[in-house]
Amino acid sequence: MKLNQLIKEEKRIEETIKREYVDPEGKSEPIYDGIANPELYLQSKQRILWILKEPYDNGEGYGDERDGGWSMAKAMNNEPDKLSRWKVFRPICYINYGIWTGDDDWNYMPELNDSEEIRKGIRKIAYINISKLPALKFTPGDRIVEAYQKHRDVILDQIKTYAPNIIFACNPHANLILKD
Protein backbone atom coordinates (compact mmCIF):
# COMPACT_ATOMS: atom_id res chain seq x y z
CA MET A 1 0.00 0.00 0.00
CA LYS A 2 1.21 3.49 -0.79
CA LEU A 3 1.32 6.31 1.77
CA ASN A 4 -1.25 8.57 0.07
CA GLN A 5 -3.68 5.69 -0.24
CA LEU A 6 -3.25 4.76 3.45
CA ILE A 7 -3.84 8.37 4.56
CA LYS A 8 -6.99 8.50 2.44
CA GLU A 9 -8.20 5.22 3.95
CA GLU A 10 -7.53 6.51 7.48
CA LYS A 11 -9.77 9.52 6.79
CA ARG A 12 -12.49 7.24 5.43
CA ILE A 13 -12.28 5.03 8.53
CA GLU A 14 -12.43 8.07 10.84
CA GLU A 15 -15.64 9.21 9.12
CA THR A 16 -17.08 5.70 9.52
CA ILE A 17 -16.20 5.71 13.22
CA LYS A 18 -17.85 9.11 13.64
CA ARG A 19 -21.08 7.71 12.11
CA GLU A 20 -21.06 4.28 13.76
CA TYR A 21 -19.87 4.94 17.31
CA VAL A 22 -22.56 7.15 18.78
CA ASP A 23 -23.18 7.56 22.50
CA PRO A 24 -26.89 6.88 23.04
CA GLU A 25 -26.91 9.47 25.85
CA GLY A 26 -25.18 12.08 23.69
CA LYS A 27 -22.54 12.79 26.33
CA SER A 28 -19.46 11.36 24.60
CA GLU A 29 -17.76 11.33 21.25
CA PRO A 30 -15.46 8.59 19.94
CA ILE A 31 -11.78 8.54 20.73
CA TYR A 32 -10.28 7.84 17.33
CA ASP A 33 -7.65 5.19 16.86
CA GLY A 34 -5.70 3.94 13.88
CA ILE A 35 -2.15 4.36 12.65
CA ALA A 36 -0.09 6.82 14.66
CA ASN A 37 2.21 7.80 11.79
CA PRO A 38 1.33 6.18 8.44
CA GLU A 39 4.76 6.86 6.91
CA LEU A 40 6.63 5.22 9.80
CA TYR A 41 4.14 2.35 9.87
CA LEU A 42 4.72 1.55 6.22
CA GLN A 43 8.52 1.78 6.67
CA SER A 44 8.49 -0.50 9.72
CA LYS A 45 10.29 -3.87 9.53
CA GLN A 46 7.15 -5.45 10.94
CA ARG A 47 3.78 -3.68 10.80
CA ILE A 48 2.31 -4.23 14.26
CA LEU A 49 -1.35 -3.83 15.18
CA TRP A 50 -2.54 -3.76 18.78
CA ILE A 51 -6.25 -4.40 19.36
CA LEU A 52 -7.33 -3.39 22.85
CA LYS A 53 -10.71 -3.06 24.56
CA GLU A 54 -11.70 0.59 24.99
CA PRO A 55 -10.17 3.97 25.82
CA TYR A 56 -10.75 5.99 28.95
CA ASP A 57 -10.79 9.74 29.14
CA ASN A 58 -11.73 12.89 30.93
CA GLY A 59 -10.14 15.11 28.34
CA GLU A 60 -6.64 14.06 29.36
CA GLY A 61 -6.87 10.30 29.12
CA TYR A 62 -8.04 9.42 32.63
CA GLY A 63 -11.18 8.31 34.46
CA ASP A 64 -14.44 10.02 33.48
CA GLU A 65 -16.42 8.26 30.76
CA ARG A 66 -18.07 11.40 29.34
CA ASP A 67 -15.58 12.99 27.00
CA GLY A 68 -13.81 11.90 23.82
CA GLY A 69 -13.67 13.73 20.53
CA TRP A 70 -9.92 13.38 20.09
CA SER A 71 -7.52 10.95 18.41
CA MET A 72 -5.38 8.50 20.36
CA ALA A 73 -3.44 7.79 17.15
CA LYS A 74 -2.58 11.47 16.69
CA ALA A 75 -1.62 11.77 20.36
CA MET A 76 0.66 8.73 19.99
CA ASN A 77 2.36 10.41 17.05
CA ASN A 78 2.56 13.91 18.55
CA GLU A 79 3.31 13.02 22.18
CA PRO A 80 5.10 9.65 22.21
CA ASP A 81 7.20 10.56 25.26
CA LYS A 82 4.05 11.24 27.30
CA LEU A 83 1.88 8.37 26.06
CA SER A 84 4.64 5.74 26.16
CA ARG A 85 4.74 6.25 29.93
CA TRP A 86 1.03 5.45 30.36
CA LYS A 87 0.53 2.08 32.03
CA VAL A 88 -1.21 0.59 28.98
CA PHE A 89 1.56 1.57 26.55
CA ARG A 90 4.68 0.63 28.57
CA PRO A 91 4.57 -3.10 27.77
CA ILE A 92 3.51 -2.34 24.21
CA CYS A 93 6.62 -0.20 23.75
CA TYR A 94 8.91 -2.95 25.06
CA ILE A 95 7.30 -5.68 22.96
CA ASN A 96 7.47 -3.53 19.81
CA TYR A 97 11.12 -2.76 20.49
CA GLY A 98 11.92 -6.46 21.00
CA ILE A 99 10.25 -7.40 17.72
CA TRP A 100 11.94 -4.66 15.70
CA THR A 101 15.41 -5.18 17.17
CA GLY A 102 15.33 -8.92 17.73
CA ASP A 103 16.22 -8.30 21.38
CA ASP A 104 14.15 -10.85 23.26
CA ASP A 105 15.78 -10.59 26.66
CA TRP A 106 13.95 -8.07 28.82
CA ASN A 107 16.88 -8.01 31.25
CA TYR A 108 19.12 -6.36 28.66
CA MET A 109 16.69 -3.91 27.09
CA PRO A 110 17.18 -0.26 27.94
CA GLU A 111 14.76 1.25 30.44
CA LEU A 112 11.84 3.02 28.78
CA ASN A 113 12.69 6.29 30.55
CA ASP A 114 16.27 6.10 29.22
CA SER A 115 15.46 5.12 25.62
CA GLU A 116 13.92 7.54 23.18
CA GLU A 117 13.92 4.72 20.60
CA ILE A 118 11.64 2.57 22.78
CA ARG A 119 9.31 5.47 23.61
CA LYS A 120 9.01 6.73 20.04
CA GLY A 121 8.26 3.21 18.77
CA ILE A 122 4.55 3.79 19.41
CA ARG A 123 4.64 6.20 16.46
CA LYS A 124 5.21 3.20 14.14
CA ILE A 125 2.19 1.06 15.13
CA ALA A 126 -1.49 0.73 14.43
CA TYR A 127 -3.78 0.75 17.44
CA ILE A 128 -7.47 -0.19 17.56
CA ASN A 129 -9.98 -0.22 20.39
CA ILE A 130 -13.02 -2.45 20.02
CA SER A 131 -15.20 0.19 21.66
CA LYS A 132 -14.19 3.67 20.67
CA LEU A 133 -16.35 5.54 23.18
CA PRO A 134 -14.62 6.67 26.36
CA ALA A 135 -15.12 4.50 29.43
CA LEU A 136 -13.65 3.87 32.85
CA LYS A 137 -10.45 1.95 33.59
CA PHE A 138 -12.35 -1.28 34.31
CA THR A 139 -13.94 -2.96 31.28
CA PRO A 140 -16.56 -5.68 31.69
CA GLY A 141 -16.01 -8.37 29.07
CA ASP A 142 -19.65 -8.48 28.01
CA ARG A 143 -19.50 -4.79 27.07
CA ILE A 144 -16.60 -5.50 24.69
CA VAL A 145 -18.32 -8.53 23.17
CA GLU A 146 -21.41 -6.39 22.56
CA ALA A 147 -19.31 -3.59 21.04
CA TYR A 148 -17.51 -6.06 18.77
CA GLN A 149 -20.75 -7.60 17.59
CA LYS A 150 -22.25 -4.18 16.92
CA HIS A 151 -19.16 -2.72 15.18
CA ARG A 152 -17.60 -5.88 13.76
CA ASP A 153 -17.49 -4.50 10.21
CA VAL A 154 -15.57 -1.39 11.29
CA ILE A 155 -12.96 -3.43 13.19
CA LEU A 156 -12.50 -5.91 10.34
CA ASP A 157 -12.22 -3.01 7.88
CA GLN A 158 -9.46 -1.47 9.99
CA ILE A 159 -7.57 -4.76 10.18
CA LYS A 160 -7.83 -5.33 6.44
CA THR A 161 -6.86 -1.74 5.61
CA TYR A 162 -3.83 -1.69 7.92
CA ALA A 163 -2.58 -5.07 6.62
CA PRO A 164 -0.40 -5.78 9.67
CA ASN A 165 2.25 -8.49 9.79
CA ILE A 166 1.66 -9.03 13.52
CA ILE A 167 -1.55 -8.59 15.52
CA PHE A 168 -1.81 -8.52 19.29
CA ALA A 169 -5.22 -8.80 20.93
CA CYS A 170 -6.63 -9.89 24.26
CA ASN A 171 -9.80 -11.50 25.53
CA PRO A 172 -12.70 -11.37 25.09
CA HIS A 173 -12.37 -10.06 21.53
CA ALA A 174 -9.32 -12.01 20.35
CA ASN A 175 -11.32 -15.19 19.79
CA LEU A 176 -14.17 -13.29 18.14
CA ILE A 177 -11.74 -11.76 15.65
CA LEU A 178 -10.09 -15.14 14.99
CA LYS A 179 -13.48 -16.66 14.14
CA ASP A 180 -14.08 -13.86 11.62
Side-chain angles (χ1 to χ4, degrees):
M1 179 177 291
K2 299 205 186 270
L3 179 60
N4 290 340
Q5 180 185 2
L6 185 56
I7 291 169
K8 182 179 174 182
E9 290 295 309
E10 275 285 81
K11 288 178 184 176
R12 179 189 58 78
I13 289 169
E14 189 171 304
E15 289 302 315
T16 301
I17 291 168
K18 188 182 288 187
R19 280 191 317 273
E20 297 291 325
Y21 285 83
V22 177
D23 178 6
E25 297 176 20
K27 296 180 180 179
S28 299
E29 296 177 49
I31 295 176
Y32 300 95
D33 50 27
I35 298 175
N37 184 309
E39 184 174 5
L40 294 176
Y41 181 77
L42 290 174
Q43 293 172 359
S44 182
K45 291 178 185 178
Q46 295 291 331
R47 292 183 312 274
I48 300 173
L49 169 62
W50 288 86
I51 307 174
L52 303 181
K53 295 176 184 177
E54 64 186 356
Y56 54 91
D57 181 32
N58 72 354
E60 296 180 13
Y62 302 96
D64 185 336
E65 63 181 327
R66 302 296 185 211
D67 289 305
W70 57 281
S71 171
M72 180 71 74
K74 288 178 183 158
M76 290 165 62
N77 185 54
N78 298 335
E79 301 178 84
D81 282 332
K82 176 182 175 183
L83 269 69
S84 66
R85 289 178 168 90
W86 288 7
K87 185 178 179 182
V88 68
F89 288 118
R90 278 183 255 153
I92 289 173
C93 289
Y94 281 114
I95 292 167
N96 295 338
Y97 177 82
I99 290 168
W100 291 319
T101 64
D103 189 353
D104 60 358
D105 190 337
W106 292 79
N107 295 315
Y108 295 102
M109 284 186 187
E111 290 293 324
L112 182 124
N113 289 335
D114 298 333
S115 175
E116 186 175 7
E117 181 181 5
I118 292 176
R119 292 190 308 273
K120 289 195 173 189
I122 63 170
R123 297 180 69 219
K124 300 191 302 187
I125 66 170
Y127 168 85
I128 297 174
N129 280 305
I130 297 298
S131 174
K132 298 174 189 323
L133 293 174
L136 299 174
K137 290 181 182 181
F138 174 75
T139 304
D142 57 341
R143 184 166 68 211
I144 299 307
V145 169
E146 182 180 327
Y148 180 78
Q149 291 168 340
K150 183 175 182 180
H151 302 292
R152 174 184 170 273
D153 291 341
V154 176
I155 301 301
L156 295 176
D157 181 27
Q158 285 184 286
I159 295 169
K160 182 179 177 182
T161 300
Y162 303 157
N165 303 107
I166 299 171
I167 299 173
F168 289 97
C170 56
N171 278 327
H173 55 279
N175 288 322
L176 297 171
I177 293 168
L178 280 173
K179 287 178 186 175
D180 288 335

